[in-house]
Amino acid sequence: MSEGQDGSHDATASQSKNLGTPAFGDFSHSDTDVVDLEQSFASALEIMKTQAVSFYQAFKGLPKERFMAVTAVYAFCRYADDVVDEGGSSALPQLDDLERSIRALFEDGTGPAGDAPSTFAPTLPWWPAFTASVHRYGVQERGLLMQIQGQRSDADFHDIESTDDLIEYARLVAGSVGRILVPILVRDRTIIENEDFMQACEKLGIAMQITNILRDVGEDIRERDRVYIPRDLLKSHGISREALQGLAHADAASFKERTESRQGDAPSIPRNFIVLWEQLATLADSLYLPYQQYLDQFHASARIPLITAAKLYQAIELAVRDHGHDCFTRRCYTSKATRIRIVTEIQLREKAPWKIS
């Protein structure tokens, strides 16, 4: 996955107000621990503010202890994603080290129930906040290991063959985020034993990842030589990998020139690609729905942030359409005005006492 697990980076993030830190005494047992945790949570918060604007704006409405736990587990996911994006196959040893650190947290019943030593990750500034959050909220090992497994598939990337393969890939790299966040967001942790509920949360992550892929087709080809659109879909729509590469590597200025020379404002994206893109967008839209039937299982303070995260993400599809399906030469963002409108509509409907800053 590329920039930000939600990929919605812009300058407004650094201007967001400081929400403070959780009651660190609930996480630790000494004054020194409190100071270290405060710094660690601050590090995790900065990662989310600068690299995950949509997530930040959605989840900052949580009570601050839950919100800071979200920033800590986001930092873990962001790190796993970044080491692969930056290192490719050379990142595999780092993922191995990260996995050993996660397994060490859960050995012999420790981790969420205790403080097991780990081998590598404690050198990362957000790690104490992450382990404290795992401990406090009972984050499950399964989701954390799924995330690492998904990143391994990116480190040793092969073009995706089928829609089923795409869904499985997205389940690992993004559905895992749903599993990781659930214990922090639900009102009663026993719901975690309901596999239908957990799969609905996974599907929301899958939907977001497909949206990411649809936004970043050109960037993924140019920067990582990756095509996430399944080969069978490309073949059925008469599109070659080489054709996608040609669009992705087109000079942005000449592309704009060609676009402006045509009637109307629509970029010269091939019609068969637009049809394919919309087919995958329809799949993503269907996967944004299942979690909604379980909204009452989430803590009251988490429902609006969750709805907001989903709506802000889904709106990325509209941004791509607004730019004529040009997901090759630009990264299409939802504008701040659009984000404010979405959040305001949810606020008014749910009477939420928070807003985008």
Side-chain angles (χ1 to χ4, degrees), residues 108 186 191 194 200 215 236 255 257 315 345:
D108 301 322
V186 293
I191 189 63
N194 183 329
R215 180 197 60 201
S236 68
F255 189 94
E257 229 173 73
E345 288 174 357

Side-chain angles (χ1 to χ4, degrees), residues 91-108:
L92 288 170
Q94 288 174 274
L95 291 178
D96 291 341
D97 285 336
L98 186 60
E99 179 174 342
R100 282 193 290 271
S101 294
I102 294 300
R103 291 189 183 279
L105 282 177
F106 290 84
E107 283 177 359
D108 301 322

Side-chain angles (χ1 to χ4, degrees), residues 293-304:
Q293 66 182 300
Y294 294 103
L295 275 174
D296 63 340
Q297 298 298 327
F298 290 91
H299 190 273
S301 65
R303 293 169 196 163
I304 291 170

